[in-house]
């Protein structure tokens, strides 16, 4: 291994997992849950520490510590894309989608944060920001909520200046229209209303409900059918109501996935998750696929890191300000960004890296493994 004289060798990479209960039972069209596991990665070099994270299971810790740490240790911390490429080769026999991609994502985020801190520059400067801030939409509206809770959450975002709100549908289609009507009543006529079925409908159902949701001026229909059904998504793009975008992509883990989705004409707006899609380096490559097509990219969840990365995406639509992740990141970090009155996250350009500091004492009671 050759290390150049001006390199800063990575000294250590560590991971830990924390399972944090939700503040109430939650469900969407295809899943129910009462906790979320947050995996934290730290990378150290030159007296600085970089932090990355993902939302995944505890096996991510095993992948980081048994495979990825040995790949990047001793290598130059100032070159995250080179370390990213080396991690891609190292996991060939593990299988990349899923846990392995989430592990690479967390390490890549930590390495980018570490590089920026070593150079004493904000992460948005390191990434080459083209925007000052990242627009948001509020997200939650779980199918486990009664209508009063649903209305209170969605109207709260709009009152805070976030002009878009998303709710879950699809668990019980017989009540979906009533719930959408309640949501529209709560947020008024000017805010945008989004729905997310998490793949709960079949093709014909999805088209039917799209037409009914359009009566309430729903502008965004996320995963009306499973993201595995690219033909079905394409049909919804072609046959759905005017003004209603079909969106998917949050379960993408590598570039071929996004290439196939775009090539199939399966979405009007692509989604990608920086904590799943091979980290900051990976998502910037997904953004390039969108740039080549003049298509917008919407970032999925993990708002504290996604709000930073969004500033570097040319064809950026917005970022999902997801209830669970907002709560967890507020518990896990000092230095979190709060929504501004115009409904954006605006990174702090006076802080090095992503500006987050781990509240380890607060996290420790949730530690697992």
């Amino acid at each position: 291994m050759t290390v150049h004289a001006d390199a800063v060798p990575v000294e250590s990479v560590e991971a830990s997992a924390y399972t944090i209960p939700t503040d109430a039972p939650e469900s969407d069209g295809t899943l129910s849950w009462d906790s979320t596991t947050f995996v934290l990665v730290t990378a150290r070099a030159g007296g600085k520490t970089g932090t990355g994270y993902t939302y995944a299971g505890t096996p991510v810790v095993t992948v980081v510590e048994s495979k990825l740490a040995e790949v990047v240790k001793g290598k130059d911390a100032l070159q995250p894309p080179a370390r990213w490429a080396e991690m891609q080769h190292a996991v060939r026999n593990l299988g990349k989608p899923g846990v392995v991609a989430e592990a690479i994502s967390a390490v890549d985020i930590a390495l980018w944060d570490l590089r920026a801190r070593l150079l004493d520059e904000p992460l948005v400067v390191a990434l080459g920001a083209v925007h000052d801030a990242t627009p948001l939409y509020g997200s939650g509206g779980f199918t486990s909520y009664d209508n009063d809770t649903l209305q209170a959450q969605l109207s709260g975002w709009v009152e805070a200046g976030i002009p878009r709100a998303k709710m879950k549908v699809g668990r019980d289609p017989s009540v979906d229209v009533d719930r959408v009507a309640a949501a529209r009543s709560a947020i008024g006529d000017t805010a945008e209303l989004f729905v997310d079925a998490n793949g709960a409908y079949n093709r014909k159902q999805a088209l039917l409900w799209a037409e009914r949701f359009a009566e309430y001026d729903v502008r965004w229909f996320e995963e009306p059918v499973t993201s595995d059904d690219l033909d079905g998504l394409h049909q919804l793009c072609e046959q759905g109501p005017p003004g209603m975008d079909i969106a998917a992509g949050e379960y993408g883990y590598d570039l071929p996935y996004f290439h196939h989705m775009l090539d199939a004409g399966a979405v009007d707006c692509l989604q990608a998750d920086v904590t799943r899609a091979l980290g900051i380096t990976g998502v910037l490559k997904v953004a390039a696929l969108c740039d080549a097509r003049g298509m917008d990219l919407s970032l999925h969840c993990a708002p504290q890191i996604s709000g930073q990365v969004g500033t570097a995406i040319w064809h950026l639509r917005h970022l999902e300000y997801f209830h669970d992740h907002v709560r967890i990141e507020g518990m896990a970090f000092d230095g979190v960004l709060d929504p501004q009155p115009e409904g954006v996250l605006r990174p702090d350009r006076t802080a090095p890296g992503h500006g987050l500091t781990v509240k380890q004492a607060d996290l420790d009671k949730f530690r697992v493994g």
Side-chain angles (χ1 to χ4, degrees):
M1 177 180 66
T2 301
V3 178
H4 297 292
D6 57 350
V8 183
V10 175
E11 297 158 10
S12 66
V13 177
E14 299 174 345
S16 51
Y18 309 86
T19 295
I20 301 172
T22 57
D23 56 4
E26 296 178 353
S27 63
D28 57 30
T30 54
L31 192 67
S32 300
W33 63 97
D34 59 12
S35 66
T36 299
T37 299
F38 171 79
V39 179
L40 185 70
V41 169
T42 55
R44 294 181 174 86
K48 302 293 184 179
T49 300
T51 304
Y53 61 95
T54 187
Y55 293 92
T58 55
V60 167
V61 175
T62 301
V63 175
V64 171
E65 295 192 335
S66 68
K67 176 60 70 172
L68 302 182
E70 67 186 53
V71 175
V72 301
K73 282 172 63 176
K75 304 290 185 64
D76 188 4
L78 298 178
Q79 294 182 289
R83 309 291 76 82
W84 182 89
E86 291 161 354
M87 288 190 286
Q88 306 306 304
H89 292 298
V91 301
R92 186 195 68 183
N93 293 343
L94 294 182
K96 192 180 300 178
V99 167
V100 173
E102 290 160 344
I104 292 173
S105 297
V107 174
D108 183 74
I109 294 166
L111 291 175
W112 272 106
D113 182 44
L114 177 60
R115 177 193 183 277
R117 291 175 190 265
L118 287 167
L119 298 177
D120 195 30
E121 65 182 11
L123 181 60
V124 292
V125 172
L127 296 179
V130 293
H131 312 288
D132 291 331
T134 299
L136 303 173
Y137 68 87
S139 172
F142 304 109
T143 58
S144 50
Y145 286 176
D146 60 27
N147 279 4
D148 288 342
T149 305
L150 173 71
Q151 289 183 307
Q153 187 182 71
L154 271 61
S155 63
W157 289 318
V158 174
E159 290 166 4
I162 300 174
R164 311 164 195 90
K166 188 175 81 176
M167 59 181 289
K168 302 291 190 179
V169 297
R171 177 161 291 272
D172 181 1
S174 69
V175 301
D176 278 344
V177 170
D178 287 343
R179 294 180 66 249
V180 168
R184 173 53 73 191
S185 174
I187 67 173
D189 295 333
T190 58
E192 293 185 55
L193 180 58
F194 299 172
V195 299
D196 182 359
N198 291 97
Y201 301 126
N202 63 39
R203 296 181 186 184
K204 290 295 181 67
Q205 285 178 318
L207 185 57
L208 171 66
W209 293 114
E211 292 169 349
R212 293 183 178 176
F213 296 153
E215 296 175 14
Y216 298 92
D217 197 24
V218 169
R219 301 292 184 87
W220 171 279
F221 197 170
E222 185 174 329
E223 275 202 304
V225 298
T226 174
S227 290
D228 295 330
D229 183 7
L230 297 184
D231 288 342
L233 288 170
H234 175 70
Q235 287 183 20
L236 266 293
C237 287
E238 292 292 307
Q239 300 174 22
M244 181 184 290
D245 279 350
I246 303 301
E250 68 180 78
Y251 302 114
Y253 294 102
D254 56 18
L255 283 174
Y257 175 98
F258 295 103
H259 170 72
H260 294 319
M261 182 167 277
L262 291 169
D263 206 40
V267 292
D268 296 305
C269 181
L270 187 67
Q271 294 174 286
D273 187 323
V274 70
T275 71
R276 292 175 179 169
L278 302 176
I280 293 172
T281 305
V283 164
L284 293 180
K285 294 179 185 297
V286 175
L289 294 177
C290 290
D291 292 342
R293 294 167 169 81
M295 175 175 283
D296 284 351
L297 178 64
S298 178
L299 294 179
H300 177 261
C301 296
Q304 293 305 316
I305 190 61
S306 298
Q308 305 269 344
V309 177
T311 65
I313 294 173
W314 181 20
H315 288 89
L316 174 70
R317 176 78 62 93
H318 40 45
L319 159 64
E320 181 169 2
Y321 196 67
F322 181 53
H323 172 73
D324 287 359
H325 293 186
V326 171
R327 176 172 168 266
I328 290 171
E329 291 169 18
M331 296 167 65
F333 301 116
D334 283 320
V336 295
L337 303 173
D338 292 321
Q340 298 301 295
E342 61 271 36
V344 301
L345 287 184
R346 180 169 288 107
D348 179 3
R349 289 175 176 259
T350 67
H354 51 46
L356 301 173
T357 303
V358 179
K359 296 193 286 190
Q360 195 62 56
D362 292 348
L363 278 178
D364 278 344
K365 61 185 174 183
F366 301 111
R367 187 162 185 159
V368 294

